[in-house]
Amino acid sequence: MERRDFIALSTLVTATSIMGADTTPQVLQRQLQSEIYTPRPLAFNPKKLNGFSEKIILSHHQNNYGGAVKRAKMIEEKIASLPSSSAPFELGSLKREQMVAVNSMILHEYHFDNLGASGQMSPALANKISAVFTTTQNWENEFKKAALSLGGGSGWILLVYNHRLKSVENVWSWDHMHGLWDSEILLALDMYEHSYQMDFGANAKEYVETFMKNINWDVVNKRFESIS
Ligand SMILES: [Fe+2]
C-alpha cells in the first residue's frame, strides 16, 4: 500500500471509530479505491495528430473513455452498498459490469497514452519482435490484419509481452473482456467503431493505417523496457 493510501485509510478508520459507525474494512477499502476513478487528461495535443480530427479524439476521450470511468466508479459504489442480504446473482451481475467498465477504462488509457506520433520502435523491442515474427514488418502486417478482423465490431488489438510464453504476441480481444493472462500491454489499438466512425466512416483500414502513423513509440519502448 502506498503511503498516501495508508494515510487516507488510517484517516477513514479513525473517523469511523470516532463516529462509532459499523462500516466494514471492505467498504472502507472501496471508498479508498473510488478516489482513483478520475479520467486522465490527454498527454498530447489532439490538434497535432496526423489524419485524426481533433473532434474525434476529444469525443472519444471525453464521452467513451470518460463514460467508462464514470460507470466504473458508480458500479464500485453499488457493490460497496449492496446489503449483506442481497442474492449472489445481484453481486455477480455487478461484478460482470465492473469488469467491463474497469477494463474499458484501463484499455482506453493504454490506447490514448500510446498515441502522439513520437519516436520510433527501439532496437531492443525490434529485436524481440523479430525473434517471433522474423521482421518488424511481418509483425505490423499481422497486427493490422488482426485489427481489421474487428472492423465493424467491437474490441481491441494488443501487442503484449507474455511472461509465460516469454515472447511478444498480437492479442485479439473481443469487447473489453478478453485478454491473454499474464501479459503486459505494450501497444493498444481501440477497434470500437466510436474510435473512427466520425472521421473514416466504415473505413476501418484507413483508421488502422492512420493509427500506425500516430503511435508514440517512446511510450511503447518505455513499457517494454520496464518489463525486460
Ligand atoms: Fe474507445
Side-chain angles (χ1 to χ4, degrees), residues 60 64-65 104 108 111-112 156 176 190-192 194-195:
H60 190 188
N64 305 104
Y65 165 56
S104 176
H108 275 103
H111 172 86
F112 286 116
W156 299 80
H176 306 299
D190 190 342
M191 285 305 299
Y192 277 75
H194 63 231
S195 313

Side-chain angles (χ1 to χ4, degrees), residues 11-200:
T11 305
L12 278 169
V13 169
T14 304
T16 304
S17 302
I18 293 169
M19 289 167 17
D22 61 353
T23 311
T24 65
Q26 184 186 27
V27 172
L28 287 175
Q29 184 62 28
R30 290 194 179 284
Q31 286 168 346
L32 191 66
Q33 288 175 359
S34 72
E35 294 174 10
I36 70 171
Y37 295 118
T38 303
R40 289 188 196 168
L42 286 170
F44 58 88
N45 183 345
K47 291 179 181 169
K48 295 196 171 171
L49 291 188
N50 177 14
F52 287 114
S53 67
E54 180 186 16
K55 191 177 174 188
I56 195 171
I57 297 294
L58 292 181
S59 171
H60 190 188
H61 184 267
Q62 290 167 7
N63 299 320
N64 305 104
Y65 165 56
V69 176
K70 201 177 291 181
R71 282 195 304 281
K73 184 173 188 293
M74 286 173 64
I75 295 165
E76 180 87 4
E77 289 165 352
K78 277 193 178 297
I79 291 174
S81 62
L82 262 187
S84 57
S85 59
S86 63
F89 80 85
E90 293 178 270
L91 177 61
S93 299
L94 285 169
K95 283 288 186 185
R96 184 187 181 284
E97 292 306 316
Q98 182 183 40
M99 192 181 294
V100 173
V102 175
N103 280 347
S104 176
M105 174 180 81
I106 292 170
L107 288 168
H108 275 103
E109 287 167 357
Y110 273 94
H111 172 86
F112 286 116
D113 285 351
N114 60 221
L115 275 176
S118 176
Q120 55 189 349
M121 187 187 293
S122 70
L125 180 54
N127 286 340
K128 196 71 179 175
I129 285 176
S130 297
V132 177
F133 295 90
T134 310
T135 66
T136 55
Q137 188 60 57
N138 286 346
W139 160 75
E140 184 175 327
N141 291 345
E142 187 190 281
F143 186 85
K144 291 192 291 191
K145 195 170 184 178
L148 290 181
S149 77
L150 284 167
S154 50
W156 299 80
I157 295 300
L158 310 167
L159 169 66
V160 306
Y161 176 81
N162 184 269
H163 291 287
R164 176 64 179 84
L165 302 176
K166 294 184 170 46
S167 70
V168 289
E169 296 287 335
N170 287 325
V171 173
W172 179 95
S173 176
W174 179 255
D175 61 36
H176 306 299
M177 301 279 274
H178 292 77
L180 182 63
W181 310 139
D182 206 10
S183 295
E184 308 277 356
I185 297 171
L186 302 176
L187 177 65
L189 166 56
D190 190 342
M191 285 305 299
Y192 277 75
E193 274 195 322
H194 63 231
S195 313
Y196 58 90
Q197 205 278 335
M198 196 184 293
D199 277 358
F200 305 102

